[in-house]
Amino acid sequence: MNRHRSRLAFAALAAGLVSSASAAVETYTIDPVHSAVGFSIRHFVSKVPGKFSKFSGKLTLDRANLANSSVEATIDIASINTDNQKRDAHLRNADFFDAEKFPTMTFKSRAWKKTGENTFDVTGDLTLKGVTREVVLKVSLLGFGPGMGGAQLSGWEATTVIDKKQFNMPDPAMLDAALGDDVTITINIEAKKT
């Protein structure tokens, strides 16, 4: 009888551990209305900024150990906006992003490394113009808290630098001297718990 009770107690404890472990994992969906994906690139002696206005993604977060978290996101290439319609049309064509053939850019994390109290190196696969390469996002947790209508929110910011030529985007001959190769990407995210 005692052995039977011990087994039941052990089973209950194991179930409780599994339940609490799964309860610690939360899914947050990126809110594009309160988020931004921007970039900048050298043009002669200055830097020209731009952004993508359409994107989506989710974060799967282990609040007890954020190093166990993951993130994935998709960006609509045609939504590029540099506040110049002629330039945006050129960026969408085959000289650069070739948006008709490669309509999205994606990122999927593979590892989170804690680098400070609220900072992480998030390593993942960035796929752009048919090329997938490893990139590291320098990520900061801005916080968790309540939002409108009882929503539970998390806030994040991230930066990285990529070499556009590594993603099959060499400059057209007429722009080779005008543009830099390094593109600085800046991401600000507000995500809602689902």
Side-chain angles (χ1 to χ4, degrees):
M1 194 70 167
N2 286 340
R3 187 176 297 173
H4 179 65
R5 285 178 181 167
S6 296
R7 286 178 182 165
L8 286 176
F10 179 76
L13 177 62
L17 288 173
V18 170
S19 174
S20 62
S22 60
V25 177
E26 303 171 340
T27 301
Y28 288 75
T29 301
I30 294 173
D31 177 2
V33 176
H34 298 103
S35 303
V37 177
F39 64 89
S40 65
I41 187 170
R42 180 183 60 77
H43 180 256
F44 289 109
V45 294
S46 63
K47 285 193 173 182
V48 173
K51 64 182 180 180
F52 293 93
S53 57
K54 292 183 181 178
F55 48 88
S56 61
K58 69 176 183 178
L59 299 94
T60 303
L61 304 176
D62 182 347
R63 294 278 296 273
N65 183 6
L66 285 169
N68 290 332
S69 301
S70 65
V71 59
E72 55 185 72
T74 300
I75 296 169
D76 182 348
I77 295 297
S79 72
I80 195 167
N81 181 358
T82 64
D83 290 326
N84 183 294
Q85 291 184 0
K86 185 177 179 181
R87 179 169 58 211
D88 293 344
H90 190 192
L91 288 169
R92 292 185 190 104
N93 78 21
D95 280 347
F96 291 100
F97 286 100
D98 201 356
E100 188 171 338
K101 186 175 180 181
F102 304 102
T104 60
M105 175 189 343
T106 62
F107 177 81
K108 188 170 185 177
S109 70
R110 289 192 280 105
W112 288 47
K113 179 183 177 183
K114 188 174 178 66
T115 57
E117 185 177 355
N118 290 304
T119 59
F120 305 85
D121 282 351
V122 176
T123 302
D125 293 325
L126 177 66
T127 301
L128 172 60
K129 206 175 178 182
V131 178
T132 300
R133 291 193 177 274
E134 179 182 287
V135 301
V136 179
L137 299 179
K138 299 292 185 180
V139 175
S140 295
L141 168 63
L142 302 180
F144 291 93
M148 298 286 287
Q152 293 297 311
L153 306 176
S154 67
W156 306 82
E157 62 181 6
T159 62
T160 193
V161 178
I162 64 170
D163 180 344
K164 71 183 192 313
K165 288 183 177 177
Q166 291 187 345
F167 290 90
N168 197 24
M169 279 198 287
D171 296 325
M174 63 179 177
L175 293 174
D176 191 44
L179 297 178
D181 293 333
D182 289 344
V183 181
T184 300
I185 299 171
T186 306
I187 303 164
N188 286 279
I189 294 297
E190 182 176 292
K192 185 183 296 185
K193 186 179 176 182
T194 56

